[in-house]
Amino acid sequence: MATGGVYKNGSHKAPNLRTSSSFKSKLPASNVRRSIPGGGTDSVSGRVRVAVRLRPRNAEEMAADADFADCVELQPELKRLKLRKNNWDSDTYEFDEVLTEYSSQKRVYEVVAKPVVESVLDGYNGTVMAYGQTGTGKTYTLGRLGDEDTSARGIMVRSMEDILVNISPETDSVSVSYLQLYMETIQDLLNPANDNIPIVEDQRTGDVSLPGATVVEIRNQQTFMELLRLGENHRIAANTKLNTESSRSHAILMVQVKRSVLGREDDFSTENENRSHSVGNFKPPILRKGKLVVVDLAGSERVHKSGSEGHMLEEAKSINLSLSALGKCINALAENSAHVPVRDSKLTRLLKDSFGGTSRTSLVVTIGPSPRHRAETASTILFGQRAMKVENMLKIKEEFDYKSLSKRLEIELDKLISDSERQQKVYENEVERIRLEAQKRITEAERNCAEVLQEEKVKCQMDYMESIKKLEEKWNINQQKRAANGEVRMDSGNDEVTELKALLQNEIRLRKAAEEENNNLKLQLLKFSKAALSGGNTDVMNLQEILEEESVQKNKLEEEVRALRSQLSQLSTEANQSRSYLERGRNGNTLAGLDCLSPLNHLQSRDSSNGERASIVNLHEQVGLQKILSLLESEDANVRIHAVKVVANLAAEEANQEKIVEAGGLTSLLMLLRSYEDETIRRIAAGAIANLAMNEANQELIMAQGGICLLAMTASDAEDPQTLRMVAGALANLCGNDKLQMRLRSEGGIKALLGMVRCRHPDVLSQVARGIANFAKCESRASSQGTKPGRSLLIEDGALPWIVQNANNEASLIRRHVELALCHLAQHEVNAKDMISGGALWELVRISRDCSREDIKALARRTLTSSSTFLAEMRRLRIEV
């Protein structure tokens, strides 16, 4: 409701004002029992809290009442209000909060509505309502949008901001209905055609609902603001003597909040973290349902003052009747009457839960300062006083969220099925490889045996032919002898025949022996084939045993990693304490070390009079940057260390970087990396180079002077986590330059960056992840421009397994960089098959569903839906994004 005056949001602040915690009555956790299945319900008493707010004088009142004092006097520090009867007498009233005309909208929200919003987020019903004479600022307090001045935002806008900040978009939901009660009919401000919505009461619980109202789910503040503007445009208002835009209806904003929370048992979070080990450990989360009702009542008015006539007179009658019915109900509740006339008006039926029900209710009564309206001001104050006597019984509403559990289990089941299929494919590929290898061995053995048999056969044939030839030669000789002698003795003939028979028998025996040997070789070949096949099966069994041992070893390593992480958190706490102690004395120690440098001894004598030392920031102005850089080549190790510390501190300031490079500081720092093996010097020099590498011009100088090779060599030699962190930071900055992509790979920068994951220190891993994300982003940009057609260099260098492994890292910074790297790699279609085979698809699906950052989630969803390869694989696995 627009007001004639403007609220002052100046710097004036009433003293001793308490925060919202003083206004909100705390609920003892031991006295509240959740209304979940299987348990009873307890309730806690919560009185209606009432605050009074004074509107400043408007221009008309300043002119008409210039000679008269305000009819009220506020004492906010005592939470009291005095209503003047005349110049010498007044009545005093106490409220839960007294807000002056100088109170800001933020202050009003914190003391009136914020406790109610917090209760709604905890699962309670809450009501915030404004009551008062027309023109006293009810709509300004509740429904002000603050388009031109954000500090003027009302309770509706600020409540939704708090709700959206404290919910999770993945598991929680917020829905809104916006209505008006006009002439005893409930109308939908979001859909004006729906102008007669019935009220339905649950006969069992007595809860009131409006099933015909439009319900809109809210995802962001912008959507909510558009709905409020739409509703305000449809709300009925008119011009009266008291207000240029007098609301002629009661506006009701209903906000339904559903929050999914973990179970009350402390071990649920542990079971949820280890859900991959046993699906049976899942327990359903608890769904809390809270409802916030913000009611902007139309102002009460006297007809002779407002000048209402005709249809506006009928509107005024309807407004006053509904407000009168509300007052009767509050009187009955304040006096503990046996009968409360709730059914006298639709307004009281809608607010049945707000007064005397289960809702936490805050009421702000708005009044004006003009003595002309003292009677209306007194009536408003008495209404607030009676409302403070009303007691509500607060109840929390929660139930098991089986839908959310089912969704999580479906995702887990899909992932397990995919893992099983991938393992089955690997097993089948291994079996096929062993079968092919065994077949190859059998074929080779058969070929070798066939060659041996052929050689033996040829040898036997040659021997046989040689024997026949010898026999023929002997026979010819004998025939010649017999012809020469003219006679042949029977005895010699018989001997020769016997000898020939013996030779023939011998040849037959040799032939049979050769055939038997041939058969034996065939049997041996058969046995060898069977042995080769059995050996293949043995290899498969051995492979299965090796895989089982690998799985057991992996489980042991995971347990050791969890133990080491807990120790690491303790050590990190101790290290931070030690580091803060050392930092307090670092400047003094550094300058004390510099006092030993002969070129800087005059600083000590100059500052000894006042006991102060020159700061490192002003050191190069007093001594000269060139002089400091010359000390980097000093033979004294302490001098070099302190000098490189000064250069590193100067390089941290962007204004000094150009001076350092022009003076040759970059060349000197690279020389330190090349020449010295001292871990401290290398660590500080690498940190200074990392600071200089944030400038694109310096990046090309580092590349031109061989800095990438030097950083890669330092990364391979160093073991100190801090040194590796500095080197990784420098390489990560270089990875963000499109011009250095090929040089980074060819000179070993990418290999060095991936090699530093051996350290496992979170700070080092964070810089490695940042470098990979920068490199992947540059590759994605080059691919979209058509300058890089092939696969990602990161995938070719073997970075994908580490990226997939750390996509769900516990450290949020590492996880964010790795998620970005995955999204950028997936934008190039040629990388899709490698990412699917490497298990990256499931991580992309998880990012599109569960990522805490909306921009990364939207990027992952857009990448999945734009790739034909990913879409085909998701259809095969029945995955929906």
Side-chain angles (χ1 to χ4, degrees):
M1 181 183 302
T3 63
V6 179
Y7 278 86
K8 302 177 183 177
N9 297 322
S11 60
H12 176 76
K13 184 177 180 182
N16 299 328
L17 287 176
R18 302 184 219 174
T19 61
S20 61
S21 60
S22 64
F23 186 73
K24 178 182 178 180
S25 62
K26 300 293 183 181
L27 296 178
S30 60
N31 294 337
V32 181
R33 263 199 320 220
R34 274 69 174 163
S35 57
I36 58 177
T41 59
D42 279 350
S43 57
V44 175
S45 175
R47 179 176 60 80
V48 174
R49 317 295 291 180
V50 181
V52 61
R53 187 182 192 185
L54 176 64
R55 170 182 60 76
R57 285 193 177 193
N58 55 32
E60 179 185 355
E61 291 171 346
M62 287 181 180
D65 302 333
D67 298 332
F68 300 94
D70 292 349
C71 66
V72 292
E73 178 186 350
L74 304 184
Q75 296 177 334
E77 65 279 0
L78 300 177
K79 299 185 178 180
R80 291 178 181 172
L81 178 148
K82 289 185 178 181
L83 178 64
R84 291 191 177 92
K85 295 181 179 179
N86 45 48
N87 291 334
W88 57 88
D89 192 13
S90 61
D91 294 328
T92 302
Y93 301 94
E94 291 187 0
F95 289 91
D96 294 301
E97 200 69 45
V98 175
L99 302 168
T100 68
E101 64 270 29
Y102 302 105
S103 296
S104 65
Q105 291 281 73
K106 180 180 179 181
R107 169 68 178 164
V108 174
Y109 170 73
E110 289 179 347
V111 301
V112 174
K114 189 171 184 178
V116 178
V117 173
E118 292 173 352
S119 296
V120 171
L121 290 171
D122 290 336
Y124 296 91
N125 289 344
T127 302
V128 179
M129 188 170 70
Y131 178 90
Q133 182 191 8
T134 182
T136 54
K138 297 184 294 302
T139 302
Y140 180 88
T141 300
L142 296 182
R144 185 79 170 186
L145 299 182
D147 291 331
E148 299 177 356
D149 183 7
T150 56
S151 63
R153 292 168 298 167
I155 287 176
M156 290 182 182
V157 178
R158 295 177 185 269
S159 299
M160 184 56 66
E161 287 178 350
D162 268 4
I163 291 173
L164 292 176
V165 166
N166 288 280
I167 67 169
S168 173
E170 293 82 7
T171 59
D172 305 337
S173 65
V174 180
S175 57
V176 167
S177 298
Y178 200 12
L179 314 166
Q180 70 174 355
L181 179 59
Y182 175 70
M183 299 286 287
E184 283 302 302
T185 60
I186 300 175
Q187 301 176 359
D188 197 335
L189 290 176
L190 303 181
N191 182 15
N194 193 5
D195 58 358
N196 190 10
I197 301 173
I199 299 176
V200 177
E201 291 190 26
D202 191 328
Q203 297 297 330
R204 184 175 59 87
T205 63
D207 292 340
V208 176
S209 61
L210 302 170
T214 301
V215 179
V216 180
E217 188 170 353
I218 302 298
R219 289 293 183 182
N220 51 62
Q221 187 70 13
Q222 184 64 30
T223 304
F224 179 68
M225 296 291 288
E226 293 174 358
L227 291 179
L228 285 184
R229 292 190 188 94
L230 177 63
E232 288 300 320
N233 292 335
H234 293 152
R235 190 176 178 188
I236 299 175
N239 186 3
T240 67
K241 292 181 179 180
L242 297 178
N243 193 351
T244 57
E245 278 191 42
S246 176
S247 299
R248 315 307 291 170
S249 64
H250 307 298
I252 303 169
L253 176 69
M254 294 184 177
V255 182
Q256 298 282 351
V257 180
K258 296 181 181 180
R259 297 188 67 197
S260 180
V261 296
L262 299 180
R264 294 184 298 277
E265 300 178 6
D266 295 337
D267 59 344
F268 180 80
S269 60
T270 304
E271 293 175 353
N272 196 18
E273 291 175 0
N274 299 329
R275 62 181 182 271
S276 59
H277 299 289
S278 175
V279 178
N281 288 336
F282 277 106
K283 290 184 178 179
I286 292 176
L287 184 64
R288 288 182 177 173
K289 297 181 179 180
K291 180 174 71 172
L292 173 64
V293 180
V294 183
V295 184
D296 180 13
L297 294 174
S300 59
E301 60 183 50
R302 296 178 184 265
V303 176
H304 69 277
K305 289 185 177 182
S306 64
S308 298
E309 58 185 12
H311 184 67
M312 289 176 57
L313 179 60
E314 297 299 322
E315 292 175 342
K317 290 179 181 179
S318 176
I319 292 170
N320 290 336
L321 283 174
S322 60
L323 293 177
S324 175
L326 178 61
K328 290 179 182 179
C329 290
I330 290 178
N331 287 340
L333 291 169
E335 297 171 0
N336 292 325
S337 174
H339 173 66
V340 179
V342 176
R343 295 187 174 275
D344 288 357
S345 170
K346 287 188 177 181
L347 177 64
T348 54
R349 292 179 67 188
L350 288 173
L351 299 179
K352 176 182 178 181
D353 191 51
S354 302
F355 293 97
T358 63
S359 173
R360 177 182 292 279
T361 302
S362 288
L363 172 66
V364 55
V365 293
T366 57
I367 58 176
S370 175
R372 291 181 296 159
H373 305 302
R374 184 190 176 282
E376 289 82 354
T377 301
S379 174
T380 301
I381 292 172
L382 292 176
F383 179 89
Q385 289 288 302
R386 289 191 294 272
M388 289 177 65
K389 299 178 183 179
V390 177
E391 293 281 347
N392 292 348
M393 304 303 290
L394 310 182
K395 291 183 181 180
I396 192 170
K397 294 184 179 181
E398 56 186 25
E399 61 187 24
F400 288 131
D401 187 6
Y402 290 103
K403 291 183 179 179
S404 176
L405 176 62
S406 175
K407 184 177 180 181
R408 280 195 296 156
L409 289 176
E410 286 178 358
I411 295 174
E412 190 69 20
L413 179 60
D414 290 341
K415 188 173 182 180
L416 290 174
I417 291 173
S418 177
D419 291 342
S420 176
E421 290 179 352
R422 186 166 59 251
Q423 293 175 2
Q424 180 67 22
K425 185 176 181 181
V426 171
Y427 173 76
E428 292 175 354
N429 291 338
E430 188 65 21
V431 170
E432 181 66 18
R433 185 187 65 80
I434 293 173
R435 189 187 67 79
L436 292 175
E437 185 176 354
Q439 185 68 29
K440 182 179 178 181
R441 290 181 181 179
I442 292 171
T443 304
E444 185 177 356
E446 289 178 347
R447 185 173 62 253
N448 292 336
C449 290
E451 290 176 357
V452 171
L453 288 174
Q454 184 67 24
E455 290 176 358
E456 290 293 331
K457 181 179 179 181
V458 171
K459 183 180 179 181
C460 291
Q461 289 178 350
M462 293 298 294
D463 291 342
Y464 177 75
M465 295 300 296
E466 188 68 25
S467 300
I468 295 297
K469 187 176 180 180
K470 288 180 179 179
L471 289 174
E472 289 179 349
E473 289 176 354
K474 287 183 178 181
W475 186 77
N476 290 330
I477 294 171
N478 290 330
Q479 287 290 76
Q480 291 175 0
K481 287 180 179 180
R482 194 181 305 168
N485 295 329
E487 58 180 2
V488 178
R489 292 194 301 267
M490 291 297 296
D491 294 338
S492 62
N494 291 333
D495 291 338
E496 290 177 358
V497 171
T498 302
E499 185 179 357
L500 287 173
K501 287 183 178 179
L503 289 173
L504 288 174
Q505 291 295 331
N506 187 29
E507 290 298 330
I508 292 172
R509 187 170 60 253
L510 289 174
R511 185 173 180 178
K512 289 182 178 180
E515 292 177 353
E516 290 178 357
E517 186 175 0
N518 190 6
N519 293 331
N520 290 333
L521 288 174
K522 288 184 178 179
L523 292 174
Q524 291 178 6
L525 176 61
L526 183 60
K527 292 180 180 179
F528 180 77
S529 300
K530 293 181 179 179
L533 289 175
S534 63
N537 293 331
T538 305
D539 290 340
V540 173
M541 297 299 295
N542 292 336
L543 178 61
Q544 290 178 345
E545 293 177 359
I546 291 172
L547 290 175
E548 292 177 357
E549 292 177 359
E550 289 285 342
S551 177
V552 173
Q553 188 67 19
K554 180 182 178 183
N555 293 335
K556 292 181 180 179
L557 289 175
E558 288 178 351
E559 293 177 359
E560 293 177 2
V561 167
R562 283 194 290 271
L564 288 174
R565 281 177 179 167
S566 63
Q567 295 177 8
L568 178 61
S569 62
Q570 296 177 358
L571 292 175
S572 298
T573 304
E574 297 174 1
N576 289 334
Q577 295 175 354
S578 302
R579 189 181 297 118
S580 62
Y581 174 77
L582 292 174
E583 287 292 338
R584 288 195 294 269
R586 178 176 294 178
N587 291 337
N589 293 337
T590 303
L591 293 177
L594 289 174
D595 288 340
C596 70
L597 306 179
S598 57
L600 306 179
N601 281 338
H602 65 285
L603 292 177
Q604 184 177 7
S605 59
R606 182 185 302 174
D607 297 337
S608 59
S609 59
N610 55 11
E612 297 180 356
R613 300 180 185 275
S615 66
I616 292 178
V617 176
N618 298 323
L619 187 60
H620 71 285
E621 298 177 358
Q622 300 175 5
V623 179
L625 180 59
Q626 196 65 42
K627 196 70 174 178
I628 296 174
L629 293 177
S630 65
L631 295 178
L632 295 176
E633 302 176 1
S634 173
E635 296 180 357
D636 190 337
N638 290 328
V639 174
R640 287 198 305 271
I641 291 175
H642 290 300
V644 75
K645 284 183 179 179
V646 173
V647 175
N649 285 323
L650 291 175
E653 297 291 336
E654 186 176 356
N656 300 328
Q657 293 180 1
E658 184 176 355
K659 299 178 183 178
I660 293 174
V661 174
E662 290 177 353
L666 177 59
T667 305
S668 301
L669 292 170
L670 293 173
M671 184 63 67
L672 289 178
L673 283 184
R674 182 183 294 110
S675 305
Y676 293 99
E677 297 182 357
D678 184 88
E679 193 71 29
T680 303
I681 291 179
R682 294 202 298 176
R683 179 177 69 252
I684 302 173
I689 293 172
N691 289 334
L692 294 175
M694 289 188 291
N695 187 299
E696 185 174 354
N698 295 340
Q699 292 173 359
E700 297 182 0
L701 290 175
I702 292 172
M703 177 195 70
Q705 298 183 23
I708 297 177
C709 292
L710 287 175
L711 291 171
M713 292 171 56
T714 306
S716 62
D717 297 340
E719 296 294 338
D720 178 46
Q722 296 304 320
T723 303
L724 292 175
R725 179 172 68 88
M726 299 298 182
V727 175
L731 288 174
N733 290 336
L734 295 175
C735 286
N737 193 324
D738 294 332
K739 304 175 182 178
L740 306 183
Q741 297 284 294
M742 298 305 298
R743 290 289 295 272
L744 275 169
R745 190 194 185 195
S746 61
E747 296 183 13
I750 300 302
K751 288 287 186 183
L753 193 66
L754 296 175
M756 282 185 281
V757 301
R758 69 182 187 276
C759 177
R760 297 182 181 275
H761 193 279
D763 293 341
V764 179
L765 296 181
S766 175
Q767 295 298 328
V768 172
R770 183 171 69 88
I772 290 175
N774 288 342
F775 196 91
K777 184 176 181 181
C778 291
E779 282 194 327
S780 175
R781 187 160 49 237
S783 298
S784 62
Q785 295 172 356
T787 58
K788 185 183 184 306
R791 294 169 61 207
S792 168
L793 299 179
L794 291 173
I795 294 178
E796 291 182 357
D797 284 348
L800 185 59
W802 185 85
I803 294 174
V804 174
Q805 181 182 359
N806 289 271
N808 201 12
N809 195 290
E810 293 180 354
S812 60
L813 193 58
I814 298 174
R815 183 174 64 252
R816 178 168 62 85
H817 288 313
V818 173
E819 287 175 346
L820 279 173
L822 270 177
C823 293
H824 289 311
L825 287 175
Q827 287 181 338
H828 196 22
E829 186 72 18
V830 75
N831 299 329
K833 292 184 179 180
D834 292 315
M835 297 186 72
I836 291 172
S837 61
L841 175 60
W842 284 106
E843 295 302 333
L844 285 170
V845 173
R846 180 192 61 77
I847 293 170
S848 68
R849 294 176 177 175
D850 302 334
C851 183
S852 58
R853 285 190 46 170
E854 288 295 332
D855 54 343
I856 300 178
K857 182 193 293 185
L859 178 60
R861 188 179 296 113
R862 187 168 61 251
T863 301
L864 287 174
T865 54
S866 62
S867 170
S868 58
T869 306
F870 286 141
L871 288 174
E873 182 67 13
M874 288 189 293
R875 282 195 297 268
R876 188 181 71 84
L877 298 175
R878 299 186 299 278
I879 300 175
E880 295 182 0
V881 178

